[in-house]
Amino acid sequence: MTRLSTLVSSICIAYASANRGFASTNSWGIVSSIPRGGDASYSSACEDAKSSIVEKASKEIGDLRTKIIVEGETVENFGEAADAICNSAIQAFASAVPEASDVSSSATYDKKLADLEAALDAPLQVLYLRQLAILREKALETYRSASRVSETSDYESMLQSDSQFTTGAEEATRSGSDWDYSSDRSSLQSIMNDIASTRKKLMDVQMKSSEKQSTAMSFLQQQQQMIQQLQMQLYGQSSPWNVGMAYRIPDTNFNLQGSYQQGRGNLQLSCVPDEYAPMLGGNGFSNGVGPGNLGLSLNVSV
């Protein structure tokens, strides 16, 4: 009987030690030891550890979201920041969950670890795509400014903007991930090509318009030269003198105008009331011909 009692006591002590509750936690707030109660308890412990780690990492992701989504600014070296969040979470999970003791537990461990990384990678990738959009807009603004204010060609401006976007996109990409910015880069290049094509078409239209105006002016000059040649044939060599004269007969409404232009004279008599006569008096400022009632113009063509 004494041996049987000793054996039972030993079994009870071993069972109590194997199922002892755990009390210590790590820096992520996760229990550092997990009971060996089979696949169900191991999977549940892995899920608890994953949930606690995701909750804590979400606070760090929230700070990045505020910077990118709310403030509309880029985060310098975003890829390194995302890698740091994911790597810290994986290390915390590995330290919180003991190694699997069999094949089934090992599969559970790998699945929960993959779920943890996917849970963190998804919101980080959303921020990554938003940062790429901001980088693309900044590159487009650089292209527009460079092509508008400088004398560089569109091709050189495109290379400069593409290099700016590529540098920022590489810094924002997680190393070893499936994040890719090739589609955003292609979109940027397509937009720049469309802008360059539109600008080229506009310049072509302006050049054609200028050519048409130049052609019209040349045609008018030719017609003017033909008219002058016909006038020379009809009236002989025209005089370079062009003279115009206007005279108002005192105390009358008659205005006498005469002109001599291109070898021909013209005399015109018109009746135009003098609106300022009451203000000037009976004889105006002077009697007879004077500056007040005589106008004279002279033009010499060389």
Side-chain angles (χ1 to χ4, degrees):
M1 288 296 291
T2 302
R3 292 181 178 179
L4 180 59
S5 299
T6 302
L7 179 61
V8 171
S9 299
S10 300
I11 293 174
C12 291
I13 293 172
Y15 180 80
S17 299
N19 291 276
R20 182 181 302 146
F22 28 13
S24 60
T25 58
N26 61 10
S27 61
W28 284 69
I30 305 168
V31 176
S32 59
S33 61
I34 295 178
R36 302 284 183 165
D39 294 341
S41 61
Y42 186 79
S43 176
S44 177
C46 290
E47 181 64 27
D48 292 340
K50 186 196 79 172
S51 300
S52 179
I53 293 172
V54 170
E55 181 180 358
K56 184 174 181 180
S58 296
K59 298 178 181 178
E60 300 180 26
I61 297 176
D63 295 337
L64 298 177
R65 181 182 294 106
T66 301
K67 182 71 173 179
I68 297 175
I69 302 296
V70 179
E71 299 178 4
E73 298 292 337
T74 58
V75 175
E76 187 176 358
N77 296 321
F78 176 80
E80 295 181 1
D83 279 332
I85 293 175
C86 293
N87 293 337
S88 298
I90 292 174
Q91 292 175 2
F93 184 82
S95 62
V97 179
E99 296 182 0
S101 58
D102 51 30
V103 176
S104 177
S105 298
S106 178
T108 300
Y109 179 89
D110 293 340
K111 182 179 182 304
K112 296 299 181 181
L113 184 61
D115 292 343
L116 170 63
E117 186 173 6
L120 299 178
D121 183 82
L124 287 172
Q125 191 169 14
V126 171
L127 300 180
Y128 169 73
L129 296 176
R130 178 56 185 167
Q131 173 138 329
L132 290 181
I134 298 174
L135 291 172
R136 186 176 64 246
E137 292 300 323
K138 290 185 177 180
L140 282 175
E141 186 63 27
T142 300
Y143 168 72
R144 293 189 181 98
S145 300
S147 60
R148 182 172 57 249
V149 302
S150 66
E151 297 180 356
T152 58
S153 63
D154 284 339
Y155 180 71
E156 293 175 349
S157 300
M158 287 181 185
L159 291 179
Q160 179 183 354
S161 300
D162 182 73
S163 176
Q164 174 184 332
F165 173 79
T166 303
T167 302
E170 289 178 352
E171 292 179 353
T173 304
R174 281 187 60 196
S175 60
S177 67
D178 59 350
W179 293 5
D180 182 62
Y181 58 86
S182 58
S183 60
D184 292 86
R185 185 181 183 184
S186 299
S187 175
L188 171 64
Q189 294 173 350
S190 177
I191 294 174
M192 290 191 297
N193 287 327
D194 292 341
I195 294 175
S197 178
T198 302
R199 183 180 292 114
K200 185 177 182 301
K201 291 179 180 178
L202 179 60
M203 292 179 62
D204 290 341
V205 170
Q206 292 176 346
M207 291 180 62
K208 290 181 179 179
S209 177
S210 299
E211 291 177 355
K212 290 181 179 179
Q213 292 179 357
S214 177
T215 302
M217 291 298 297
S218 177
F219 175 76
L220 292 176
Q221 290 176 356
Q222 292 177 359
Q223 295 297 316
Q224 182 67 24
Q225 291 177 358
M226 292 177 61
I227 293 174
Q228 291 178 355
Q229 291 176 359
L230 291 175
Q231 289 177 346
M232 291 176 61
Q233 293 177 1
L234 293 174
Y235 305 105
Q237 180 68 31
S238 61
S239 173
W241 294 86
N242 293 326
V243 180
M245 182 186 66
Y247 174 70
R248 174 178 292 277
I249 302 175
D251 300 330
T252 66
N253 292 331
F254 293 102
N255 189 30
L256 183 62
Q257 294 179 339
S259 64
Y260 178 81
Q261 186 177 7
Q262 295 183 353
R264 292 181 297 173
N266 184 27
L267 184 63
Q268 182 179 359
L269 179 63
S270 59
C271 182
V272 180
D274 189 359
E275 299 177 355
Y276 300 99
M279 301 171 56
L280 299 177
N283 295 321
F285 283 115
S286 62
N287 290 323
V289 178
N293 54 9
L294 176 65
L296 180 64
S297 64
L298 176 63
N299 184 17
V300 180
S301 300
V302 180

